[in-house]
Amino acid sequence: MSEAPQHRANWWRVFGAPIVVGVLSLAGLLSALLAGDPGRYFSWFALGVPLAIAAWAYLRKA
Amino acid sequence: MFLLLLCLTGLPLIFHHEIDEALGYAPKMDVHAPGAAKLSLDAVGRAAIADHPGSVLLYMAWDKDEPGMVSTFTNTSVTSDPQTTVVKAFDAYTAKPVGLLGTGPMLVMLRLHTDMYLGLPGKWFMGVMGFLFIVAIISGVVLYWPFTRRLNFAAIRKQKSRRVLWLDWHNLLGVVTLVWALVVGGTGVINAYAEVMLGIWQRNELAAMAAPYAGKPTPTQLALLDKVVGNAMKTTPGMDVAFVAFPGTPFTSTHHFAVFLRGDTPLTSRLVKPVLLDGETGEVSDTSELPTYLKAVLVSQPLHFGDYGGMPLKIIWALLTMFTIIVLGSGLYLWAIKRSKVRRGARLSASTTAALGPSS
């Protein structure tokens, strides 16, 4: 489950998800500052993504 | 270890308002009838001085979330040690003191977090620690590739050894909190050097604003505060007063009041605009925008404290701080294991060499 199906290093496979999480985090940090109430709600979602990923990794069966 | 200290002391500071309230260190405001009239600012100022006879007012500030409260900063003189400044809240309707501000356990946490009770050198040291935090994050990104290139994203190898399990958690929590940690670390470094930037502003922009009044003595009779604030607010309609700096304090010249105005959005409420007013007449002398580097300091504060998106954001901020603590702790654990392995290997190699004897 945890090992990649093909043992071939692929830059996008390794860094793709972290980049998406990073962009969402940055958008969340700025949206609460710049976009009023909608921005505040979006920030909760965007900055909550890392928490959701960690919870998913913790609860997922090995 | 210093990074752990920064995280461990930063965690309760996220909820300092709530903790102060729960422990009884927050001012207790009376409830006033709708439409009740506030007292003049001068009445509040007089009450602050009467509360601390022999002291002078340095600043008055207003919390946008507590419009009925005025914070006063008093000390024996405008040049006294800032650490001895008394910060007290007063009821804007009755001029009654309602409690000290910035005291109790949260002040201890704040001092440990910002300067470790070492003053300016402590702040600079913590700034360097913040910079090292950023370097550590970047080094983590470099190491992420070799450790995870053959794994799926978020892979936690629960069946393997404890070291591998903690390595996977270290990599996962580190990479998902990467941007947040970079922003919090970077804004922490900016905040650590805020006083340096304030000094640059004083010597350049503020000195230029006050230059036409050079040589004017310190006012013997100060203008009425209500007039000072009223004149300042006329310069930029729609903005509200954030704080007033009295003549001689670091935020203004020896002859002027400085009134700092703010907007009403999360961003503009941080980007204050200074208005310089004559200390004796209360007339506007000059107004300008803050320079970019000071705006950067002001914008960096909410991005460091996480206090600009309501309670859900504070909770998320706290959980992300806990993740960072786990990343730092697991990093130390993995480093210690690797170090002991290397030492064991070196000892084994040495004993093997000794058993085989010197090679010819």
Side-chain angles (χ1 to χ4, degrees), chain B residues 261-282:
Chain B
L261 303 172
R262 66 178 163 215
D264 58 0
T265 69
L267 181 66
T268 59
S269 66
R270 262 91 182 181
L271 292 176
V272 292
K273 181 180 181 181
V275 182
L276 220 57
L277 302 105
D278 191 290
E280 284 177 342
T281 66

Side-chain angles (χ1 to χ4, degrees), chain A residues 6-62:
Chain A
Q6 294 174 343
H7 286 233
R8 185 163 44 91
N10 177 303
W11 192 90
W12 180 247
R13 190 171 56 76
V14 173
F15 285 109
I19 287 172
V20 172
V21 174
V23 169
L24 270 175
S25 297
L26 194 60
L29 285 164
L30 296 177
S31 68
L33 203 57
L34 302 171
D37 279 344
R40 174 187 289 217
Y41 302 140
F42 175 75
S43 76
W44 299 344
F45 159 73
L47 287 165
V49 167
L51 307 178
I53 290 171
W56 169 68
Y58 181 77
L59 296 172
R60 187 184 47 184
K61 287 205 170 90

Side-chain angles (χ1 to χ4, degrees), chain B residues 48 75 129 188 324:
Chain B
N75 209 327
M129 289 299 111
T324 308

Side-chain angles (χ1 to χ4, degrees), chain B:
Chain B
M1 295 309 281
F2 284 108
L3 298 181
L4 268 176
L5 174 74
L6 283 172
C7 290
L8 289 170
T9 53
L11 188 58
L13 285 173
I14 297 166
F15 301 104
H16 71 97
H17 278 300
E18 292 76 14
I19 294 172
D20 277 343
E21 267 180 28
L23 298 179
Y25 288 100
K28 290 175 180 58
M29 301 299 299
D30 290 335
V31 179
H32 299 284
K38 289 181 184 172
L39 290 178
S40 72
L41 299 180
D42 294 282
V44 177
R46 281 194 298 274
I49 298 293
D51 201 54
H52 285 87
S55 62
V56 293
L57 266 170
L58 309 182
Y59 309 102
M60 284 175 101
W62 289 262
D63 185 336
K64 62 182 168 57
D65 299 321
E66 282 283 2
M69 188 178 89
V70 184
S71 305
T72 63
F73 298 66
T74 55
N75 209 327
T76 47
S77 78
V78 289
T79 53
S80 297
D81 177 8
Q83 299 298 345
T84 61
T85 297
V86 177
V87 188
K88 201 162 202 176
F90 285 79
D91 190 317
Y93 296 90
T94 61
K96 195 178 85 176
V98 287
L100 287 166
L101 293 167
T103 57
M106 285 302 101
L107 178 65
V108 176
M109 286 294 158
L110 184 67
R111 293 297 306 273
L112 285 173
H113 189 76
T114 54
D115 68 358
M116 296 187 302
Y117 288 91
L118 295 172
L120 207 53
K123 281 187 184 172
W124 292 355
F125 177 76
M126 286 311 211
V128 173
M129 289 299 111
F131 180 73
L132 289 179
F133 181 56
I134 294 168
V135 172
I137 292 170
I138 293 167
S139 72
V141 175
V142 174
L143 290 171
Y144 184 73
W145 166 263
F147 280 106
T148 60
R149 67 199 168 105
R150 297 198 186 281
L151 299 172
N152 285 324
F153 173 68
I156 302 292
R157 290 167 287 177
K158 294 175 182 172
Q159 310 303 333
K160 301 248 176 165
S161 69
R162 189 194 291 180
R163 189 191 70 83
V164 171
L165 183 73
W166 277 112
L167 174 67
D168 288 345
W169 275 115
H170 179 83
N171 285 331
L172 174 60
L173 296 183
V175 84
V176 295
T177 56
L178 176 83
V179 169
W180 175 84
L182 273 177
V183 169
V184 172
T187 52
V189 173
I190 293 173
N191 275 303
Y193 297 104
E195 283 181 42
V196 176
M197 293 188 228
L198 184 64
I200 295 170
W201 176 70
Q202 278 176 295
R203 284 190 296 277
N204 297 297
E205 286 85 356
L206 181 60
M209 284 171 80
Y213 309 91
K216 275 202 162 191
T218 305
T220 48
Q221 184 70 38
L222 290 176
L224 289 175
L225 268 176
D226 291 280
K227 182 179 179 186
V228 168
V229 171
N231 284 346
M233 288 176 72
K234 277 182 208 160
T235 63
T236 317
M239 291 188 93
D240 202 5
V241 59
F243 74 98
V244 177
F246 283 66
T249 55
F251 287 89
T252 182
S253 77
T254 52
H255 187 75
H256 292 88
F257 281 101
V259 175
F260 291 81
L261 303 172
R262 66 178 163 215
D264 58 0
T265 69
L267 181 66
T268 59
S269 66
R270 262 91 182 181
L271 292 176
V272 292
K273 181 180 181 181
V275 182
L276 220 57
L277 302 105
D278 191 290
E280 284 177 342
T281 66
E283 296 302 323
V284 174
S285 298
D286 199 358
T287 178
S288 75
E289 293 291 330
L290 285 178
T292 307
Y293 58 87
L294 269 193
K295 283 183 178 173
V297 170
L298 295 171
V299 172
S300 75
Q301 287 173 347
L303 290 171
H304 187 71
F305 305 138
D307 60 351
Y308 62 110
M311 182 51 77
L313 190 64
K314 282 189 179 187
I315 293 168
I316 291 169
W317 218 263
L319 291 169
L320 292 174
T321 305
M322 285 183 199
F323 281 8
T324 308
I325 292 170
I326 294 171
V327 173
L328 290 170
S330 58
L332 276 174
Y333 168 73
L334 293 167
W335 172 78
I337 282 190
K338 190 176 179 185
R339 197 161 165 240
S340 71
K341 260 188 179 174
V342 168
R343 279 187 175 173
R344 242 195 339 262
R347 269 203 304 271
L348 195 67
S349 169
S351 60
T352 309
T353 308
L356 290 174
S359 56
S360 54

